[in-house]
Amino acid sequence: MTSTADFQAIDAAHHLHPFTDPGDLARKGTRIITRADGVFIYDSNGNEILDGMSGLWCVNVGYGREELVEAAAKQMRQLPYYNSFFQCTTPPAIELSEMLSEISPAHINHVFYTCSGSEANDTIIRMVRYYWACQGKPTKKAFISRKNAYHGSTIGGTSLGGMTHMHKQGDLPIPGVYHINQPYWFGEGFDEDPNAFGVRVAQELEAKILELGEDQVAAFIGEPIQGAGGVIIPPDSYWPEIKRICDKYEILLITDEVICGFGRTGKWFGADYYGVTPDLMPIAKGLSSGYMPIGGVLVADHIAETLKAAGDDFHHGFTYSGHPTAAAVACANLKIMHREGLVDRVATELAPYFAKVMQPLADHPLVGEVRTTGLLGAVELMQDKSSHQFFENKGAAGTLCRDLSIENGLVMRGVGSTMIMCPPLVITTEQLDLMAERVAKTLDDAAKVLL
Ligand SMILES: *Cc1c(COP(=O)(O)O)cnc(C)c1O
């Protein structure tokens, strides 16, 4: 068997990792995850680690699901691949499309398949501009998004996203994408009433539409709750105000459901949680619980009907759009979610329990705020909570805390100095207790170094 050191050397010699400083990783050596079961992952040194991030926000039904393995094997024996170009399709893609239309809001009944969330957002840029052209409004091309948003890592996804460190590499965003402030109350509006702050930052959308001209603006895109940006949960006033503005100016609303979709908030979609009706919803991650790469765009009826009436091809698609094996696994995943009532279980049992065990950590000397919605959580690390002072080097504080967390047997991520969590939807209350204990121990360990 290959030893950890051998694995690390080979990896350093040949593998460039995503979102990683390759020189730094080569020096430190990567952690090699070899297997997983339920909510636990195991590394090549035999350590058991509670996966508080569901992989990358995706393993919603947990690891080790034989049913998903069987669904893939069965489909691969029958028909491993066929495309959905040229007037063809496959039974799993058909079945999944119907299942998605059943769980999505009533006015959304079509799906365009991709292999990832990034591709879903690139698809949206093309589909939305084409839609407006079909509507006789070809000048409606601009997208308005938020600073610190995450919509993927392709050219389109990075452009729609609002991460300046990503924009710097590769001359992005592309022209025609604009970013307003995010609804990050704790970080950027702390001295205001949260709901007043929520309305104020939502109204930046209206100001931007008026500045650009309604006839130039195609759509607004936002994650219902920003994930990679640091689990930023908007004040309750935010989304209704955004929706009001989109309607007033005939601007399409896109809720990026790549993380919030599939039960994460205790509803099927984040839009349902906030009671807004989007026109388009990019999906991925929890769609297959990460067992297969698959994403898509859920499309409202008025847009689908426009495309159907256009009399032309939508000249867009991927070799693996509607991949039958990935679709079969996604169907099996959704069947598990239905059968085990996971969405309701998050709403009624797990979300309240998660909030209950996490909230007491707000009293910790290192912690300025704890916030949770559904099974998304964030803990804000502070240099001095009494004067609302953040660490000067936020990233260093977060990274230290993240590394200590792994040593304590918990995957928790740091975004700046915000520690974030996103456990699988099958976690038990006992395992949530264990998670909270490990977060508390990590905060104690971090405080010894940082305070
Ligand atoms: C992860 C993510 C994406 C990108 O999905 P990939 O499958 O990594 O391309 C897009 N939007 C949001 C909100 C995400 O969290």
Side-chain angles (χ1 to χ4, degrees):
M1 218 180 79
T2 314
S3 74
T4 298
D6 290 343
F7 266 143
Q8 287 173 328
I10 297 166
D11 192 74
H14 303 295
H15 182 185
L16 290 171
H17 290 243
F19 285 98
T20 300
D21 172 346
D24 183 53
L25 183 68
R27 279 186 296 279
K28 284 188 193 144
T30 184
R31 181 180 298 278
I32 295 137
I33 307 303
T34 51
R35 66 189 180 88
D37 189 30
V39 300
F40 293 99
I41 58 173
Y42 299 85
D43 70 18
S44 57
N45 293 325
N47 295 307
E48 179 184 273
I49 309 165
L50 201 169
D51 186 3
M53 283 304 299
S54 305
L56 265 182
W57 324 81
C58 54
V59 189
N60 288 0
V61 300
Y63 298 95
R65 290 289 195 149
E66 273 305 315
E67 241 175 291
L68 301 190
V69 180
E70 281 309 313
K74 185 163 167 252
Q75 184 58 42
M76 288 178 90
R77 279 189 202 103
Q78 172 104 17
L79 177 71
Y81 171 75
Y82 201 72
N83 66 71
S84 45
F85 290 34
F86 314 130
Q87 316 199 341
C88 290
T89 187
T90 61
I94 295 169
E95 187 184 358
L96 182 60
S97 307
E98 185 180 36
M99 290 181 86
L100 286 170
S101 107
E102 281 163 7
I103 60 173
S104 50
H107 67 293
I108 293 183
N109 293 292
H110 290 76
V111 57
F112 188 101
Y113 290 112
T114 68
C115 316
S116 69
S118 300
E119 289 174 9
N121 282 317
D122 280 49
T123 297
I124 279 177
I125 294 178
R126 300 200 59 210
M127 188 185 285
V128 163
R129 287 179 174 171
Y130 177 50
Y131 163 80
W132 282 121
C134 291
Q135 291 284 320
K137 298 181 178 174
T139 60
K140 282 175 86 67
K141 283 185 189 157
F143 285 79
I144 301 174
S145 176
R146 287 97 53 87
K147 295 174 187 167
N148 196 39
Y150 189 77
H151 297 297
S153 189
T154 49
I155 302 263
T158 302
S159 296
L160 291 175
M163 302 207 160
T164 48
H165 55 278
M166 290 176 71
H167 290 164
K168 270 194 221 147
Q169 298 173 335
D171 292 328
L172 299 171
I174 55 170
V177 184
Y178 302 87
H179 299 88
I180 59 173
N181 278 307
Q182 57 179 335
Y184 181 22
W185 174 77
F186 187 78
E188 297 171 2
F190 191 64
D191 38 20
E192 270 177 85
D193 169 71
N195 281 320
F197 170 78
V199 169
R200 184 170 67 75
V201 290
Q203 287 177 350
E204 289 188 21
L205 173 60
E206 187 157 29
K208 186 56 85 179
I209 293 168
L210 293 173
E211 177 195 323
L212 297 170
E214 179 186 341
D215 62 338
Q216 303 294 310
V217 180
F220 172 78
I221 182 167
E223 303 151 80
I225 293 170
Q226 283 155 265
V231 181
I232 292 163
I233 302 171
D236 290 341
S237 60
Y238 181 77
W239 277 108
E241 183 64 5
I242 289 284
K243 179 64 181 161
R244 182 192 70 76
I245 295 165
C246 287
D247 289 348
K248 181 174 172 190
Y249 295 102
E250 209 187 11
I251 306 296
L252 297 179
L253 174 60
I254 304 156
T255 57
D256 185 335
E257 302 282 354
V258 172
I259 287 176
C260 291
F262 305 102
R264 185 51 59 190
T265 64
K267 298 279 188 186
W268 276 105
F269 296 96
D272 303 328
Y273 182 83
Y274 286 109
V276 294
T277 46
D279 299 294
L280 295 147
M281 303 199 294
I283 54 173
K285 295 191 173 124
L287 169 57
S288 66
S289 285
Y291 279 66
M292 278 281 163
I294 181 169
V297 181
L298 298 178
V299 180
D301 295 343
H302 69 105
I303 296 175
E305 295 314 322
T306 300
L307 298 185
K308 284 181 182 177
D312 192 5
D313 289 8
F314 176 38
H315 300 283
H316 178 79
F318 306 103
T319 302
Y320 300 137
S321 288
H323 193 291
T325 304
V329 171
C331 285
N333 176 60
L334 294 180
K335 282 175 195 161
I336 289 177
M337 296 203 59
H338 282 296
R339 193 180 62 232
E340 298 184 2
L342 290 182
V343 181
D344 277 348
R345 188 164 166 251
V346 170
T348 58
E349 182 188 358
L350 295 175
Y353 198 83
F354 185 47
K356 190 183 102 182
V357 295
M358 294 306 298
Q359 266 317 323
L361 300 173
D363 296 331
H364 194 280
L366 190 58
V367 175
E369 182 185 66
V370 173
R371 53 178 181 266
T372 65
T373 292
L375 283 182
L376 284 167
V379 173
E380 296 274 7
L381 307 182
M382 304 293 278
Q383 172 85 65
D384 180 3
K385 60 195 275 185
S386 62
S387 62
H388 200 72
Q389 190 192 335
F390 288 92
F391 286 99
E392 198 158 334
N393 188 340
K394 287 186 178 181
T399 301
L400 174 102
C401 195
R402 179 199 68 189
D403 292 347
L404 289 169
S405 181
I406 297 268
E407 278 173 38
N408 288 324
L410 172 67
V411 180
M412 173 165 66
R413 241 173 93 185
V415 176
S417 55
T418 310
M419 305 312 298
I420 57 173
M421 285 158 270
C422 177
L425 309 186
V426 293
I427 197 165
T428 63
T429 52
E430 292 76 23
Q431 289 164 340
L432 283 172
D433 287 334
L434 181 66
M435 194 169 153
E437 271 168 39
R438 291 181 180 180
V439 177
K441 166 86 166 53
T442 299
L443 291 170
D444 288 344
D445 293 350
K448 283 182 202 139
V449 184
L450 291 170
L451 294 186

